[in-house]
Amino acid sequence: MSEVQTLISHTLCPYVQRAAIVLSEKSAPFDRIYIDLADKPEWFQKASPLGKVPLLKTGEGRYLFESAPIVEYLDETQPGRLHPDQPVERARHRAYVEFASQVLNGIGSLYNAKHKQDFEAAKAALRLNFCHLEEQIDPEGPFFAGDPFSLVDAAFAPVFRYFDVLDDFVDLKVLDGLENTEKWRQHLAKRPSVVTAVAETYQEDLRAFLRRRDSWLSYLLNQSDIAASATAKH
Ligand SMILES: N[C@@H](CCC(=O)N[C@@H](CS)C(=O)NCC(=O)O)C(=O)O
């Protein structure tokens, strides 16, 4: 008999969010186990050859790793396809899921940049990515390829979630004037599968993570904390 699937997670991981979003979109019940990536349990090291989350334990007790094959597996085994029928469109969607991973790498470069110069370079690279993306989005919306929701939406919702936190303390301007992207972002932020993909503490957890980076972004966040506490005292 098959058991409920388990998503092996980390609270902040955007790749884990992709799988959580797809499971919710499919209304598939699942359990979650959270891993401390700084202290990985032995069973996890055995089940995850790259030492990364997400990991999906299927109902038959098999472990799958890497978010792209995990979400494709979920798409093929649970009712309600999130990939287009046409092979050429499906290939294009897969490419934009990979594009989302490159944008996530760019966000990593942004929050890890030690100096302003590297921070500005990371910002410029992200701006180029989003200018390209703007032209790919169906202007009618509400999602990447219009309606319905697709795996590309599941891949970009966690990308936009970073900006929801960053926008509070830094004016990045990477999405400025990109109307299709902004509309898409706002729509995704309200989607129940996106909302429930992270814990309620996500925003504060991400801020704590960013403070610990000892990077230019950590410095900007600290400056904003100082300004906020000075305002609160007056
Ligand atoms: N290509 C992988 C990327 C997953 C990934 O980078 N996961 C990070 C957390 S967001 C991780 O587990 N890193 C291992 C570590 O920090 O030791 C996927 O798509 O699943």
Side-chain angles (χ1 to χ4, degrees):
M1 210 183 75
S2 94
E3 290 172 18
V4 70
Q5 315 197 71
T6 306
L7 183 61
I8 292 77
S9 306
H10 178 269
T11 44
L12 293 175
C13 180
Y15 300 95
V16 167
Q17 290 175 51
R18 292 178 180 183
I21 291 169
V22 170
L23 282 156
S24 299
E25 286 291 332
K26 303 269 188 178
S27 304
F30 67 105
D31 291 333
R32 277 180 101 148
I33 292 178
Y34 290 89
I35 295 292
D36 178 358
L37 290 172
D39 184 16
K40 297 173 187 165
E42 215 176 302
W43 68 264
F44 174 77
Q45 312 230 36
K46 279 195 191 133
S48 177
L50 297 177
K52 294 179 181 177
V53 288
L55 203 57
L56 182 78
K57 189 177 176 201
T58 70
E60 291 71 41
R62 297 190 55 178
Y63 284 104
L64 299 177
F65 64 101
E66 282 293 309
S67 64
I70 289 173
V71 298
E72 296 253 355
Y73 165 78
L74 292 171
D75 196 37
E76 286 169 15
T77 53
Q78 309 285 328
R81 295 306 299 266
L82 298 177
H83 251 333
D85 290 337
Q86 259 196 338
V88 70
E89 269 306 299
R90 203 155 58 238
R92 178 172 164 270
H93 276 224
R94 288 188 175 120
Y96 280 97
V97 169
E98 178 56 25
F99 192 82
S101 302
Q102 290 307 314
V103 174
L104 288 172
N105 288 341
I107 292 173
S109 300
L110 187 82
Y111 65 60
N112 284 321
K114 293 283 174 219
H115 306 290
K116 188 165 192 262
Q117 205 181 353
D118 297 337
F119 177 84
E120 293 297 331
K123 220 167 76 173
L126 280 172
R127 174 74 184 172
L128 282 179
N129 285 161
F130 281 111
C131 285
H132 168 80
L133 191 64
E134 174 72 6
E135 303 300 317
Q136 301 300 317
I137 303 163
D138 184 335
E140 298 296 316
F143 301 115
F144 174 71
D147 217 349
F149 187 95
S150 73
L151 292 181
V152 181
D153 297 288
F156 271 96
V159 167
F160 295 132
R161 203 192 296 277
Y162 278 102
F163 292 103
D164 295 343
V165 173
L166 300 182
D167 280 356
D168 277 348
F169 66 92
V170 55
D171 188 10
L172 289 170
K173 300 192 191 314
V174 292
L175 301 180
D176 276 15
L178 305 180
E179 283 181 22
N180 296 336
T181 310
E182 267 301 348
K183 264 197 306 187
W184 182 33
R185 170 190 177 185
Q186 304 302 337
H187 206 84
L188 285 178
K190 291 192 280 219
R191 184 90 173 164
S193 64
V194 171
V195 174
T196 57
V198 292
E200 278 174 15
T201 55
Y202 174 86
Q203 295 223 349
E204 204 31 65
D205 293 346
L206 181 59
R207 289 169 83 96
F209 169 83
L210 295 174
R211 282 188 194 100
R212 290 196 302 271
R213 304 316 294 166
D214 191 23
S215 67
W216 184 256
L217 197 65
S218 317
Y219 164 75
L220 296 178
L221 179 53
N222 283 335
Q223 294 298 103
S224 142
D225 287 345
I226 293 166
S229 84
T231 312
K233 279 185 193 141
H234 283 102

Coordinates of all heavy atoms in Angstrom, one line a residue, residues 10 12-16 18 35-38 40 44 48 50-55 65-70 97-98 101 104-105 111 162, ligand 1:
H10 N 13.9 22.5 3.6 CA 14.6 23.5 4.4 C 13.7 24.8 4.4 O 13.2 25.1 3.3 CB 16.0 23.8 3.9 CG 16.7 24.8 4.7 ND1 16.7 26.2 4.4 CD2 17.5 24.7 5.8 CE1 17.4 26.8 5.3 NE2 17.9 26.0 6.2
L12 N 14.0 27.9 4.1 CA 14.1 29.0 3.2 C 14.3 28.6 1.7 O 14.4 29.5 0.8 CB 15.4 29.9 3.6 CG 15.2 30.6 4.9 CD1 16.5 31.3 5.2 CD2 14.1 31.7 4.8
C13 N 14.5 27.3 1.5 CA 14.9 26.9 0.1 C 13.9 27.1 -1.0 O 12.8 26.6 -1.0 CB 15.3 25.4 0.1 SG 15.9 24.8 -1.5
P14 N 14.2 27.9 -2.0 CA 13.3 28.2 -3.1 C 13.0 27.0 -4.0 O 11.9 26.9 -4.6 CB 14.0 29.3 -3.9 CG 15.5 29.1 -3.6 CD 15.5 28.6 -2.2
Y15 N 13.9 26.0 -4.0 CA 13.7 24.8 -4.8 C 12.7 23.9 -4.1 O 11.9 23.2 -4.8 CB 15.0 24.1 -5.1 CG 16.0 24.9 -5.8 CD1 17.0 25.7 -5.1 CD2 16.0 25.1 -7.2 CE1 17.9 26.5 -5.8 CE2 16.9 25.9 -7.9 CZ 17.9 26.6 -7.2 OH 18.7 27.4 -7.8
V16 N 12.8 23.9 -2.8 CA 11.8 23.1 -2.0 C 10.4 23.7 -2.3 O 9.4 23.0 -2.4 CB 12.1 23.1 -0.5 CG1 11.0 22.6 0.3 CG2 13.4 22.3 -0.2
R18 N 9.2 25.0 -4.9 CA 8.6 24.6 -6.1 C 7.8 23.3 -5.9 O 6.7 23.2 -6.4 CB 9.8 24.3 -7.1 CG 10.6 25.4 -7.6 CD 11.6 25.0 -8.5 NE 12.4 26.1 -9.0 CZ 13.4 26.0 -9.9 NH1 13.8 24.8 -10.4 NH2 14.1 27.1 -10.2
I35 N 15.3 19.8 7.4 CA 16.7 19.4 7.6 C 17.5 20.6 8.0 O 17.3 21.6 7.4 CB 17.2 18.8 6.3 CG1 16.5 17.5 5.9 CG2 18.7 18.5 6.3 CD1 16.8 16.3 6.8
D36 N 18.4 20.4 8.9 CA 19.4 21.4 9.2 C 20.5 21.2 8.3 O 21.3 20.2 8.4 CB 19.8 21.3 10.7 CG 20.9 22.3 11.1 OD1 21.3 23.1 10.2 OD2 21.3 22.3 12.2
L37 N 20.7 22.1 7.3 CA 21.7 21.8 6.3 C 23.1 21.9 6.8 O 24.1 21.5 6.2 CB 21.5 22.8 5.1 CG 20.2 22.5 4.2 CD1 20.0 23.6 3.2 CD2 20.4 21.1 3.5
A38 N 23.2 22.6 8.0 CA 24.5 22.7 8.6 C 24.9 21.4 9.4 O 26.0 21.3 9.9 CB 24.6 23.9 9.5
K40 N 23.6 17.7 8.6 CA 22.8 16.8 7.9 C 22.7 15.4 8.5 O 23.8 14.9 8.7 CB 23.3 16.7 6.4 CG 23.2 18.0 5.7 CD 23.8 17.9 4.3 CE 23.9 19.3 3.7 NZ 24.8 19.4 2.5
F44 N 19.8 11.3 5.5 CA 19.7 12.3 4.5 C 20.9 12.2 3.5 O 20.7 12.2 2.3 CB 19.5 13.7 5.1 CG 19.5 14.8 4.1 CD1 18.4 15.0 3.3 CD2 20.6 15.6 3.8 CE1 18.3 16.0 2.3 CE2 20.6 16.6 2.9 CZ 19.5 16.8 2.1
S48 N 20.3 11.6 -0.4 CA 20.5 12.7 -1.3 C 21.9 12.8 -1.8 O 22.8 13.4 -1.1 CB 20.1 14.0 -0.5 OG 20.3 15.1 -1.3
L50 N 23.5 14.5 -3.8 CA 24.2 15.8 -3.9 C 24.1 16.6 -2.6 O 24.6 17.8 -2.5 CB 23.5 16.6 -5.1 CG 23.6 16.0 -6.5 CD1 22.9 16.9 -7.5 CD2 25.1 15.9 -6.9
G51 N 23.5 16.0 -1.6 CA 23.5 16.6 -0.3 C 22.6 17.8 -0.2 O 22.7 18.7 0.6
K52 N 21.6 17.8 -1.1 CA 20.7 19.0 -1.2 C 19.2 18.7 -1.0 O 18.8 17.5 -1.3 CB 20.8 19.6 -2.6 CG 22.2 20.2 -2.9 CD 22.2 20.8 -4.3 CE 23.6 21.4 -4.6 NZ 23.7 21.9 -6.0
V53 N 18.5 19.7 -0.6 CA 17.0 19.6 -0.6 C 16.6 20.3 -1.8 O 17.3 21.2 -2.3 CB 16.4 20.2 0.7 CG1 16.7 19.4 1.9 CG2 16.9 21.6 0.9
P54 N 15.4 20.0 -2.4 CA 14.4 19.1 -1.9 C 14.8 17.6 -2.2 O 15.5 17.4 -3.2 CB 13.2 19.5 -2.7 CG 13.7 20.0 -4.0 CD 15.0 20.7 -3.7
L55 N 14.1 16.8 -1.4 CA 14.2 15.4 -1.7 C 12.7 15.0 -1.5 O 12.0 15.5 -0.6 CB 15.0 14.8 -0.5 CG 15.7 13.4 -0.6 CD1 16.6 13.4 -1.8 CD2 16.5 13.2 0.7
F65 N 15.7 13.0 -6.0 CA 16.3 14.3 -5.7 C 16.4 15.2 -6.9 O 16.1 14.7 -8.1 CB 17.8 14.0 -5.2 CG 18.7 13.4 -6.2 CD1 19.7 14.1 -6.9 CD2 18.7 12.0 -6.4 CE1 20.6 13.5 -7.7 CE2 19.5 11.4 -7.3 CZ 20.5 12.2 -8.0
E66 N 16.7 16.5 -6.7 CA 16.7 17.6 -7.7 C 15.2 18.0 -8.0 O 14.4 17.2 -8.5 CB 17.3 17.1 -9.0 CG 18.9 17.2 -9.0 CD 19.4 18.6 -8.8 OE1 19.1 19.5 -9.6 OE2 20.2 18.8 -7.9
S67 N 15.0 19.3 -7.8 CA 13.6 19.8 -8.0 C 13.0 19.6 -9.3 O 11.8 19.3 -9.4 CB 13.6 21.3 -7.6 OG 14.3 22.1 -8.5
A68 N 13.8 19.7 -10.4 CA 13.2 19.6 -11.8 C 12.6 18.2 -12.0 O 11.4 18.1 -12.3 CB 14.2 20.0 -12.9
P69 N 13.3 17.1 -11.8 CA 12.7 15.8 -11.9 C 11.6 15.6 -10.9 O 10.6 14.9 -11.2 CB 13.9 14.8 -11.7 CG 15.1 15.6 -11.6 CD 14.8 17.1 -11.6
I70 N 11.7 16.1 -9.7 CA 10.7 15.9 -8.7 C 9.4 16.5 -9.2 O 8.3 15.8 -9.2 CB 11.1 16.5 -7.3 CG1 12.2 15.7 -6.7 CG2 9.9 16.6 -6.4 CD1 12.8 16.3 -5.4
V97 N 12.0 27.1 -16.5 CA 12.3 26.6 -15.2 C 13.8 26.7 -14.9 O 14.2 27.2 -13.8 CB 11.7 25.1 -15.0 CG1 12.2 24.5 -13.7 CG2 10.2 25.1 -15.1
E98 N 14.6 26.3 -15.8 CA 16.0 26.4 -15.7 C 16.4 27.9 -15.6 O 17.3 28.3 -14.8 CB 16.7 25.7 -16.9 CG 18.2 25.8 -16.9 CD 18.9 25.3 -15.6 OE1 18.3 24.4 -14.9 OE2 20.0 25.7 -15.3
S101 N 16.2 29.0 -12.2 CA 17.3 28.6 -11.4 C 18.5 29.6 -11.5 O 19.2 29.9 -10.6 CB 17.8 27.2 -11.7 OG 16.7 26.3 -11.6
L104 N 17.8 32.6 -9.6 CA 18.1 32.3 -8.1 C 19.6 32.4 -7.8 O 20.0 32.9 -6.8 CB 17.6 30.9 -7.7 CG 16.0 30.8 -7.6 CD1 15.6 29.3 -7.4 CD2 15.5 31.7 -6.5
N105 N 20.4 31.9 -8.8 CA 21.9 32.0 -8.6 C 22.3 33.5 -8.6 O 23.1 33.9 -7.8 CB 22.6 31.4 -9.8 CG 22.6 29.9 -9.7 OD1 22.2 29.3 -8.6 ND2 22.8 29.2 -10.8
Y111 N 23.0 38.7 -2.7 CA 23.1 38.7 -1.2 C 24.4 38.3 -0.6 O 24.7 38.5 0.6 CB 21.9 38.0 -0.5 CG 21.7 36.5 -0.7 CD1 22.6 35.6 -0.3 CD2 20.5 36.0 -1.2 CE1 22.4 34.2 -0.4 CE2 20.3 34.6 -1.3 CZ 21.3 33.8 -0.9 OH 21.1 32.4 -1.1
Y162 N 11.6 36.5 -2.7 CA 12.8 37.2 -2.2 C 12.6 38.7 -2.3 O 12.9 39.5 -1.4 CB 14.0 36.9 -3.0 CG 14.7 35.6 -2.7 CD1 14.5 34.4 -3.4 CD2 15.5 35.5 -1.6 CE1 15.1 33.3 -3.1 CE2 16.2 34.3 -1.2 CZ 16.0 33.2 -2.0 OH 16.6 32.0 -1.7
Ligands
LIG1 N1 19.6 22.0 -8.4 C1 19.0 21.8 -7.1 C2 19.3 22.9 -6.2 C3 18.8 22.7 -4.8 C4 19.6 23.5 -3.8 O1 20.6 24.3 -4.1 N2 19.3 23.3 -2.5 C5 20.1 24.0 -1.4 C6 19.2 24.7 -0.5 S1 18.2 25.9 -1.3 C7 20.8 22.9 -0.6 O2 20.2 21.9 -0.2 N3 22.1 23.1 -0.4 C8 22.9 22.2 0.3 C9 23.7 22.8 1.4 O3 23.5 24.0 1.7 O4 24.5 22.1 2.0 C10 17.5 21.6 -7.3 O5 17.0 22.1 -8.2 O6 16.9 20.9 -6.5

